[in-house]
Amino acid sequence: MSRPVIYVISDSLGETAEFVVQAAKSQFHDSDLEIRRIPYVMDEQTIHETIQAAREEEALIVFTLVVPELQCLLIEEAKKAEVPYIDLMGPMINGLASLLQRSPKKEPGLIHKLDAEYFRKVEAIEFAVKYDDGRDPRGIMHADVVLIGVSRTSKTPLSMYLAHKSLKVANVPLVPEVDPPDELFLIPQEKCIGLIIHPEQLTNIRRERLRSLGLASGASYANVERILEEIDYAEKVIRRVGCPRIDVSNKAVEETANLIMDILKGGGATT
């Protein structure tokens, strides 16, 4: 006796439907099924041919078609041929449409577009981690945006926030004792963002940081004269690079990130 056959028909890859079939199959001990996936079905001829084959083999059809015309055709022809079928997506889409009071897009393959966006985001996050705090200046040449500024101007939080927007971000601390990497002067000016901050606020932030670490607040890191020196140096580097600048004083990370994205789009002014 030949193995029972299930035809999986989809207007995309058909992975979702096959996964559901495999999950259902696991509930039947020692079941021996043959699953034949028919992906990217966008024409009537393929549907007719698959239904004919399913009729001859007494097979079951499982489908995830979102184009209404193809859905209706498959159901109509399957009924005529007395071929059993299961619509995996239709009831769910109809249920969500009723719940959300909105019409579905009815576009094939959207889940894979979302997957692509997800992987771009993961790649951007890995990039931000790898090129955080000037660890490797080579990342500057491959970044979508490079953030420069003194310590505690939110470079790392901004990098991670922007990475979740699928932007590859490198950030470089500006320290008087360390020359800025040459790569900063080789990239387009608009890809670099200088972050500045009021000296008084930076002093308070650094002193709080020292206290949280259990260190004396009078250390050089939070010394006013040292901070003024660092800010002056950072201003000189930012002017030399010629890049846009944002004053992050009293700004939330989200607010600064939105300003950066506006600048990257060419519609934002420096503040």
Side-chain angles (χ1 to χ4, degrees), residues 3-266:
R3 292 189 296 168
V5 175
I6 296 178
Y7 282 94
V8 173
I9 302 176
S10 175
D11 41 25
S12 186
L13 282 173
E15 291 175 327
T16 302
E18 184 171 351
F19 178 81
V20 173
V21 171
Q22 293 285 8
K25 173 186 172 184
S26 68
Q27 297 297 316
F28 297 86
H29 184 63
D30 292 334
S31 57
D32 188 17
L33 293 173
E34 181 179 351
I35 301 173
R36 299 177 186 170
R37 195 197 307 180
I38 315 294
Y40 300 114
V41 175
M42 298 299 294
D43 63 286
E44 297 182 3
Q45 184 62 31
T46 301
I47 290 176
H48 286 298
E49 292 174 355
T50 304
I51 289 175
Q52 181 59 34
R55 179 183 182 183
E56 293 173 358
E57 297 176 284
E58 298 182 349
L60 169 67
I61 289 178
V62 176
F63 68 92
T64 54
L65 298 172
V66 297
V67 177
E69 293 77 12
L70 296 179
Q71 285 180 345
C72 292
L73 175 65
L74 189 150
I75 292 171
E76 181 182 344
E77 294 301 312
K79 286 180 178 179
K80 288 180 182 178
E82 298 183 341
V83 173
Y85 63 88
I86 298 173
D87 178 3
L88 288 182
M89 291 286 282
M92 177 60 74
I93 290 175
N94 292 337
L96 287 175
S98 176
L99 175 67
L100 301 173
Q101 295 295 298
R102 290 164 56 189
S103 298
K105 293 181 178 179
K106 300 176 183 178
E107 295 178 30
L110 288 180
I111 189 170
H112 296 288
K113 293 180 184 178
L114 292 175
D115 286 345
E117 292 173 8
Y118 171 78
F119 286 118
R120 278 196 298 272
K121 183 183 297 184
V122 169
E123 185 180 2
I125 292 171
E126 291 175 344
F127 187 95
V129 171
K130 183 176 182 180
Y131 298 110
D132 180 45
D133 207 31
R135 291 175 186 167
D136 186 347
R138 291 175 297 181
I140 293 172
M141 304 301 296
H142 304 288
D144 295 317
V145 60
V146 180
L147 307 179
I148 60 175
V150 300
S151 173
R152 312 312 294 177
T153 48
S154 300
K155 295 187 299 299
T156 296
L158 280 168
S159 295
M160 297 309 299
Y161 186 96
L162 292 169
H164 279 84
K165 302 293 184 181
S166 301
L167 289 171
K168 293 181 179 178
V169 187
N171 73 74
V172 179
L174 299 179
V175 185
E177 293 77 17
V178 180
D179 290 334
D182 294 336
E183 287 83 355
L184 278 182
F185 309 99
L186 299 176
I187 61 174
Q189 294 175 338
E190 62 272 14
K191 285 182 60 175
C192 185
I193 305 290
L195 304 177
I196 60 173
I197 188 171
H198 295 163
E200 183 178 349
Q201 183 174 354
L202 182 57
T203 301
N204 293 334
I205 291 172
R206 288 192 177 182
R207 285 177 178 172
E208 184 59 36
R209 174 61 174 165
L210 289 173
R211 276 195 291 269
S212 70
L213 296 173
L215 301 174
S217 60
S220 173
Y221 180 70
N223 179 273
V224 175
E225 287 74 19
R226 169 63 184 183
I227 286 174
L228 289 172
E229 179 188 0
E230 288 186 33
I231 290 177
D232 182 64
Y233 174 75
E235 292 274 11
K236 290 177 181 177
V237 173
I238 291 170
R239 285 196 297 269
R240 183 181 165 195
V241 173
C243 63
R245 48 190 274 157
I246 296 176
D247 187 345
V248 301
S249 305
N250 302 313
K251 284 187 176 66
V253 168
E254 294 85 351
E255 183 181 358
T256 305
N258 287 334
L259 289 172
I260 291 170
M261 289 187 286
D262 284 343
I263 291 172
L264 294 176
K265 293 174 184 175

